[in-house]
Amino acid sequence: MKSKAVSLPYLGWMLVFTIVPLLMVVYFAFTDVSGRFTLENFISAADYSEVFLYSLWIALISTFICLLLAYPLAFRISRMSERAQSIVIMLIMVPMWMNFLLRIYSWVLILQNYGPLDMMLNFVGIDVTLIGNSGAVIVGMVYEFLPFMILPLHTVMSKIDDSLIEAAQDLGCSSSAVFRKVVFPLSIPGIISGITMVFVPTASTFLVAQYLGGTQFMIGDVIERVFQSDHNTGSAIAVVLMVVILGFLVFMNRFGDKEGVA
């Protein structure tokens, strides 16, 4: 009884700030302005299919880059002393203490025309547009969500017993064999968690593309703009996005269960 009583505030919070808003979004998605049931909102939402696919593509690329960058870094951190690990993790988290918008705007200042990076490239004879394209959006995504890939990987890798790696080396395994047979299989739960924690917010986030993508918007930006004038269609787009993300989460959980059984 005591454990149930302790969970009541959390359940109340979830009901008021999560369940009720979700139900409202679903309600508006399946009704018109008069409150009558309709599927017209989803037909209107289909007009934004290109933006939707573009958002998923950017999310996949950003997640993959985050994994490539975070994996070796997380492994290196996990082999440090506990004190060094705490310091490095804190340094990784320091940028997260700043406001999300300020972090994005800092990249606007860095990548803008005649900004510091643009001037450095022009000095060595390289003339490229750094902002207002998909590349800038991906840079912003990776910067914002890289810590969400590092932390779960580090948590799992720090639990890998050094004796397992030493035993594999004593048995004649090369460094690449140790990675394939010991480190990588044991780090799969962290990979799955990291991919989930990065893909979900990158697929649904907004503001990043507005500031770094120029005329290229992501589905989160579309939902924000459409919802202001037509909350029924905006809700329908949000429902489609939630279904896709839910399907992704189910897939990753099943994949993780299979790996765990194996």
Side-chain angles (χ1 to χ4, degrees):
M1 290 296 294
K2 290 184 178 180
S3 60
K4 292 182 179 180
V6 171
S7 64
L8 286 178
Y10 172 75
L11 294 176
W13 176 276
M14 289 291 294
L15 177 64
V16 175
F17 295 103
T18 303
I19 305 301
V20 172
L22 285 177
L23 292 177
M24 292 177 64
V25 169
V26 173
Y27 169 78
F28 284 122
F30 286 94
T31 57
D32 57 18
V33 292
S34 302
R36 293 174 296 185
F37 176 82
T38 181
L39 296 177
E40 289 294 328
N41 300 321
F42 292 93
I43 297 176
S44 300
D47 295 337
Y48 303 97
S49 58
E50 292 186 6
V51 180
F52 190 85
L53 293 176
Y54 171 77
S55 301
L56 294 180
W57 176 242
I58 292 294
L60 287 172
I61 295 176
S62 302
T63 302
F64 180 71
I65 295 176
C66 284
L67 180 60
L68 288 181
L69 296 176
Y71 196 95
L73 178 59
F75 179 75
R76 181 68 186 90
I77 296 173
S78 68
R79 301 301 99 185
M80 297 178 179
S81 64
E82 292 187 4
R83 178 177 175 81
Q85 289 186 44
S86 300
I87 294 175
V88 174
I89 292 298
M90 183 189 70
L91 293 176
I92 291 173
M93 295 302 298
V94 163
M96 305 299 293
W97 298 351
M98 294 175 57
N99 180 271
F100 179 89
L101 184 58
L102 290 178
R103 297 199 304 271
I104 290 299
Y105 195 71
S106 67
W107 275 105
V108 174
L109 297 178
I110 294 173
L111 299 176
Q112 67 182 349
N113 296 331
Y114 304 106
L117 186 56
D118 183 56
M119 294 180 66
M120 290 175 57
L121 293 176
N122 288 334
F123 181 76
V124 296
I126 301 176
D127 185 15
V128 294
T129 302
L130 300 176
I131 198 169
N133 50 51
S134 298
V137 176
I138 292 173
V139 168
M141 292 288 190
V142 172
Y143 171 75
E144 289 289 350
F145 299 106
L146 183 60
F148 294 97
M149 182 70 76
I150 295 176
L151 293 179
L153 283 172
H154 167 261
T155 300
V156 171
M157 289 180 174
S158 61
K159 297 178 182 178
I160 298 177
D161 195 339
D162 290 336
S163 61
L164 296 176
I165 298 177
E166 295 171 358
Q169 293 172 339
D170 292 340
L171 291 173
C173 289
S174 62
S175 298
S176 59
V178 170
F179 172 77
R180 293 196 314 270
K181 298 179 180 294
V182 179
V183 177
F184 181 76
L186 294 176
S187 63
I188 286 179
I191 294 175
I192 294 174
S193 298
I195 290 175
T196 302
M197 293 180 65
V198 173
F199 178 81
V200 171
T202 52
S204 57
T205 192
F206 65 104
L207 289 181
V208 177
Q210 291 185 31
Y211 282 86
L212 298 175
T215 58
Q216 296 176 321
F217 297 111
M218 297 187 66
I219 196 65
D221 304 299
V222 171
I223 292 173
E224 179 198 18
R225 295 192 174 193
V226 172
F227 202 91
Q228 293 176 2
S229 58
D230 184 0
H231 53 265
N232 296 98
T233 301
S235 297
I237 302 173
V239 167
V240 174
L241 180 61
M242 285 191 292
V243 170
V244 172
I245 290 177
L246 180 61
F248 175 80
L249 293 176
V250 171
F251 171 78
M252 294 303 296
N253 287 334
R254 289 189 175 182
F255 182 79
D257 292 340
K258 291 180 180 179
E259 291 294 338
V261 172

